[in-house]
């Protein structure tokens, strides 16, 4: 596995591979790999000849007072894990090479970024869209894999690619969870035993919403009220949002239907902000499927 830190060198490598007819699959990450990241790398490998993983804790997508400096990092471990997954290049640029003096361009996606994390983290998706656009160009990606864990991010990237006619196939990967339901996240490293227990409120709230909807409670105001009480019963929880949204527009909906997704953001002990999401109505079995 090659380690490349210079964007120029990355571009030269990618041009050479593209010239040789190789299809390049990109997995953008901020490192501190867990099974979710590794799943994305494996999926990229099924869609491409060569997988490039970028590891860049992008300052542009962190707001003031967020955890940029504290974000967990372990380069040696990440390098080993990526190597085991058969990754061709680990691209590890630094902020100065991604945003050199004079940098002044921002890619901004409109309405989709107004809701959810976009509302609580102003400027976050400008930082995401801009860096992902740069990474697509630097790595000459033919396809790129993103996790559904960051559902809004995936929607924003798909919009950007469509709006700006980028020739990059965007592939979503389902959320990877611990056995007890907690969605894997690099930020789970911040949780001690007590707060990890409280962090289960997200996946359990999702299960509660699915159960309630299956029982016929479809009005989202009522569902949100139940979830609020449920989440706040876990010690140290503070709700950022409980949102029942349309999967495509991300706009809030009044009643649950097959296209509704529940998106949650909860702060644990005033420090660790976690997100989760999922469909509210369980997908029905495909016609003809047997148990
Ligand atoms: P991050 O390093 O947290 O920026 O995440 C890099 C990529 O991994 C993003 O596309 C995330 O959506 C994805 N990802 C993070 N956690 C998970 C998870 N638990 N399941 C699936 N994908 C994930």
């Amino acid at each position: 596995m090659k380690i490349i830190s210079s964007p120029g060198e990355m571009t030269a490598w990618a041009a050479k591979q593209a010239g040789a007819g190789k299809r390049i699959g990109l997995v953008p990450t901020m490192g501190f790999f867990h099974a979710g990241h590794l799943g994305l790398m494996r999926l990229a490998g099924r869609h491409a000849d060569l997988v490039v993983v970028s590891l860049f804790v992008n300052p542009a997508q962190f707001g003031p007072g967020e955890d940029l400096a504290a974000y967990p990092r372990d380069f040696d471990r990440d390098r080993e894990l990526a190597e085991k997954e058969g990754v061709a290049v680990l691209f590890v640029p630094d902020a100065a090479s991604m945003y050199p003096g004079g940098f002044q361009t921002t890619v901004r996606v409109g309405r989709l970024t107004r809701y959810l994390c976009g509302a609580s983290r102003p400027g976050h998706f400008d930082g995401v869209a801009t860096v992902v656009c740069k990474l697509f160009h630097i790595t000459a990606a033919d396809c790129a894999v993103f996790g559904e864990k960051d559902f809004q991010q995936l929607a924003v990237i798909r919009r950007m690619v469509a709006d700006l006619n980028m020739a990059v196939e965007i592939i979503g990967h389902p959320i990877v969870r611990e056995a007890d339901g907690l969605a894997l996240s690099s930020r789970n490293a911040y949780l001690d035993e007590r707060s990890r227990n409280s962090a289960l409120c997200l996946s359990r709230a999702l299960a509660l919403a699915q159960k309630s909807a299956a029982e016929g409670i479809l009005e989202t105001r009522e569902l949100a009220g139940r979830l609020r009480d449920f989440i706040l019963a876990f010690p140290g929880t503070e709700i950022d949002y409980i949102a029942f949204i349309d999967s495509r527009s991300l706009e809030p909906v009044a009643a649950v239907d097959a296209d509704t997704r529940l998106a949650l953001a909860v702060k644990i002990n005033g420090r660790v902000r976690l997100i989760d999401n999922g469909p509210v109505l369980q997908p029905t079995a495909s016609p003809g499927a047997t148990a």
Side-chain angles (χ1 to χ4, degrees):
M1 184 179 74
K2 269 175 94 72
I3 311 278
I4 298 181
S5 55
S6 140
E9 197 186 321
M10 184 72 243
T11 303
W13 180 91
K16 200 168 139 207
Q17 303 306 328
K22 302 286 186 198
R23 185 173 157 86
I24 297 174
L26 172 69
V27 180
T29 81
M30 299 204 299
F32 210 69
F33 296 154
H34 51 63
H37 294 112
L38 305 184
L40 268 59
M41 294 175 202
R42 240 164 274 157
L43 184 58
R46 293 209 288 275
H47 287 262
D49 301 310
L50 296 164
V51 175
V52 175
V53 174
S54 60
L55 193 174
F56 180 53
V57 183
N58 173 31
Q61 67 190 69
F62 286 78
E66 291 189 350
D67 59 344
L68 173 63
Y71 198 82
R73 291 164 167 90
D74 188 340
F75 178 69
D76 291 336
R77 186 173 162 273
D78 285 352
R79 182 177 52 197
E80 272 178 34
L81 289 169
E83 181 132 43
K84 272 196 205 134
E85 293 301 333
V87 167
V89 177
L90 189 56
F91 175 50
V92 199
D94 62 13
S97 63
M98 289 294 273
Y99 304 112
F103 185 92
Q104 50 188 291
T105 301
T106 299
V107 179
R108 172 169 302 157
V109 176
R111 213 163 49 238
L112 280 178
T113 65
R114 280 199 213 138
Y115 312 102
L116 312 172
C117 292
S120 16
R121 304 182 69 189
H124 169 69
F125 286 114
D126 292 356
V128 169
T130 304
V131 82
V132 169
C133 178
K134 284 174 68 76
L135 290 169
F136 284 175
H137 288 123
I138 293 168
T139 64
D142 296 290
C143 64
V145 183
F146 294 84
E148 286 180 1
K149 157 95 185 331
D150 299 274
F151 192 74
Q152 185 174 20
Q153 170 173 279
L154 178 56
V156 166
I157 299 300
R158 284 194 200 281
R159 189 73 258 159
M160 172 183 82
V161 163
D163 289 354
L164 299 183
N165 306 84
M166 295 177 171
V168 186
E169 182 195 357
I170 303 301
I171 302 157
H173 187 291
I175 300 178
V176 180
R177 299 178 179 279
E178 303 270 16
D180 61 5
L182 180 67
L184 293 180
S185 164
S186 305
R187 290 190 167 99
N188 292 351
Y190 297 140
L191 300 168
D192 59 21
E193 201 184 318
R194 224 174 98 84
S195 45
R196 193 196 174 289
N197 204 48
S198 287
L200 287 173
C201 70
L202 291 111
S203 55
R204 300 220 168 132
L206 213 54
L208 175 62
Q210 288 164 344
K211 180 169 171 283
S212 306
E215 287 167 2
I217 302 165
L218 297 175
E219 206 220 311
T220 56
R221 251 170 56 160
E222 185 177 349
L223 286 168
R226 285 186 178 210
L227 297 192
R228 185 168 303 111
D229 295 343
F230 179 81
I231 290 170
L232 293 177
F234 287 76
T237 52
E238 201 181 310
I239 295 166
D240 181 350
Y241 59 74
I242 297 173
F244 289 89
I245 54 168
D246 176 80
S247 303
R248 271 177 287 269
S249 69
L250 307 189
E251 290 184 18
V253 297
V256 167
D257 67 22
D259 293 325
T260 305
R261 208 151 178 110
L262 168 61
L264 300 167
V266 178
K267 231 182 201 175
I268 314 286
N269 289 337
R271 205 171 81 88
V272 189
R273 184 179 176 280
L274 299 177
I275 56 173
D276 203 344
N277 70 85
V280 184
L281 293 179
Q282 294 292 8
T284 46
S286 346
T290 48

